[in-house]
């Protein structure tokens, strides 16, 4: 078991598990109410200080700004939830010893109904040491952070639609035109070259343009999904507790009582 002076220096240090993994800062030291020796450490194991766990200090050892215990980090985090006050009841200690696989307290517990607790967040003295008559006042501070969560999903999907288009296209066609010319000296020989009276037939092919439709696939644009980060503000409200100290003064002569808060 570490001595009292050694444990006093552990307050505020980081507790690590048997493999050196960080568990959290030590918030308070709990002493045996019979021997005054350090027995339990209260360590902060939750996000933003939302959870505290008890861990035995019998086999703890300090090195630098860390204190190491021979337990796994998850075992400490899974320790029974016990209200943090100034005393550990016998039943609460029994639950903690069973959780850590310890059949019994290494010290003689036959006459100890419970444990007194001392928390000194500002480095105050632990009962049993040379301390003044000062009282430590503590209060909770609100620590607010952020965590990421999913707010929705967006999918990019391509589908096919059919659209009716109509265009006007100019087309050309041949039409028959009959031309008549009188007989002149210039064409008389050509006109008299054939039989005088006969039947004759000439054929002319008429042509025209018709619209022809063809389709081809043409890339138009590239579309992709991307995200932009915007910064906003959200209000967070929570209740915090703080300790207040009052001075109660009793005058033995006049029987007058005075209650006031120290500055």
């Amino acid at each position: 078991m570490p001595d009292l002076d050694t444990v006093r220096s552990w307050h505020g240090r980081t507790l690590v598990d048997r493999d050196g993994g960080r568990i959290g800062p030590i918030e308070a030291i709990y002493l045996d109410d019979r021997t005054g020796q350090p027995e339990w450490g209260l360590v902060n194991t939750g996000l933003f200080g939302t959870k505290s766990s008890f861990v035995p200090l019998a086999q703890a050892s300090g090195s630098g700004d860390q204190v190491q215990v021979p337990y796994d980090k998850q075992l400490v985090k899974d320790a029974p939830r016990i209200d943090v006050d100034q005393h550990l009841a016998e039943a609460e200690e029994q639950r903690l010893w069973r959780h850590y696989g310890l059949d019994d307290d290494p010290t003689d517990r036959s006459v100890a109904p419970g444990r007194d607790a001392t928390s000194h967040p500002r480095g105050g003295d632990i009962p049993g040491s040379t301390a003044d008559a000062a009282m430590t006042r503590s209060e909770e501070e609100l620590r607010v952070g952020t965590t990421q969560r999913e707010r929705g999903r967006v999918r990019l999907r391509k589908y096919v639609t059919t659209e009716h288009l109509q265009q006007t296209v100019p087309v050309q066609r041949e039409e028959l035109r009959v031309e008549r010319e009188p007989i002149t000296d210039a064409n008389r020989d050509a006109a008299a070259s054939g039989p005088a009276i006969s039947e004759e037939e000439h054929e002319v092919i008429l042509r025209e343009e018709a619209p022809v439709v063809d389709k081809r696939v043409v890339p138009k644009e590239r579309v992709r999904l991307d995200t932009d980060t915007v910064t906003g503000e959200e209000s967070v409200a929570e209740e915090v507790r703080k300790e207040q100290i009052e001075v109660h003064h009793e005058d033995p002569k006049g029987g007058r009582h005075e209650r006031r808060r120290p500055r």
Side-chain angles (χ1 to χ4, degrees):
M1 175 72 70
D3 61 76
L4 184 60
D5 290 336
T6 299
V7 176
R8 287 183 60 190
S9 65
W10 290 354
H11 181 266
R13 295 190 186 183
T14 300
L15 190 74
V16 297
D17 66 3
R18 62 190 178 190
D19 299 321
R22 184 182 186 278
I23 300 177
I26 299 176
E27 297 179 331
I29 305 297
Y30 278 57
L31 308 180
D32 187 295
D33 59 1
R34 180 175 58 86
T35 65
Q37 293 300 311
E39 189 167 12
W40 297 98
L42 184 64
V43 58
N44 188 325
T45 57
L47 184 64
F48 304 134
T50 56
K51 181 183 178 183
S52 297
S53 302
F54 285 93
V55 60
L57 296 178
Q59 302 179 55
S61 60
S63 177
D65 59 351
Q66 294 183 341
V67 177
Q68 189 172 33
V69 290
Y71 306 109
D72 182 71
K73 176 181 181 178
Q74 194 59 47
L75 181 67
V76 177
K77 287 190 171 185
D78 294 339
R81 296 295 299 268
I82 296 176
D83 292 337
V84 179
D85 53 22
Q86 297 300 308
H87 192 271
L88 271 179
E90 182 73 13
E92 294 173 335
E93 281 197 308
Q94 291 282 355
R95 291 172 58 199
L96 289 171
W97 288 118
R98 286 194 298 268
H99 174 76
Y100 286 100
L102 304 173
D103 294 334
D104 202 358
D105 184 347
T107 61
D108 181 12
R109 303 167 60 226
S110 61
V111 296
R115 267 52 175 169
D116 286 331
T118 295
S119 174
H120 46 98
R122 295 186 179 86
D125 295 310
I126 298 178
S129 63
T130 57
D132 56 21
M135 181 181 295
T136 299
R137 187 186 70 84
S138 303
E139 64 182 56
E140 294 177 334
E141 294 183 351
L142 193 63
R143 291 185 289 178
V144 180
T146 60
T147 183
Q148 286 194 350
R149 65 183 181 187
E150 183 177 303
R151 64 180 298 267
R153 295 191 180 188
V154 180
R155 293 183 177 90
L156 193 64
R157 184 173 66 90
K158 183 171 69 173
Y159 61 96
V160 179
T161 61
T162 301
E163 181 181 359
H164 180 73
L165 296 178
Q166 183 174 352
Q167 294 184 2
T168 301
V169 181
V171 293
Q172 293 181 341
R173 67 176 183 271
E174 295 177 345
E175 293 183 351
L176 182 64
R177 184 178 73 251
V178 178
E179 295 183 356
R180 299 175 183 272
E181 58 182 22
I183 301 299
T184 62
D185 292 338
N187 61 12
R188 187 178 300 276
D189 292 340
S193 62
I197 299 296
S198 65
E199 293 183 356
E200 196 172 349
E201 183 178 305
H202 288 271
E203 183 181 86
V204 176
I205 297 176
L206 300 178
R207 300 183 181 276
E208 68 177 1
E209 292 180 338
V212 176
V213 178
D214 186 22
K215 292 186 289 186
R216 60 192 179 97
V217 178
V218 180
K220 292 297 184 179
E221 64 179 349
R222 299 283 292 169
V223 181
R224 65 171 55 86
L225 290 177
D226 201 356
T227 60
D228 293 326
T229 301
V230 297
T231 301
E233 292 184 352
E234 290 190 11
S235 178
V236 178
E238 185 59 77
E239 294 182 351
V240 296
R241 300 177 301 169
K242 62 173 63 178
E243 298 174 342
Q244 301 290 349
I245 299 177
E246 292 183 340
V247 178
H248 293 262
H249 177 68
E250 180 179 349
D251 188 350
K253 296 181 179 179
R256 181 173 60 88
H257 295 267
E258 180 184 0
R259 186 177 68 178
R260 58 187 177 87
R261 293 183 179 179
R263 295 180 181 178

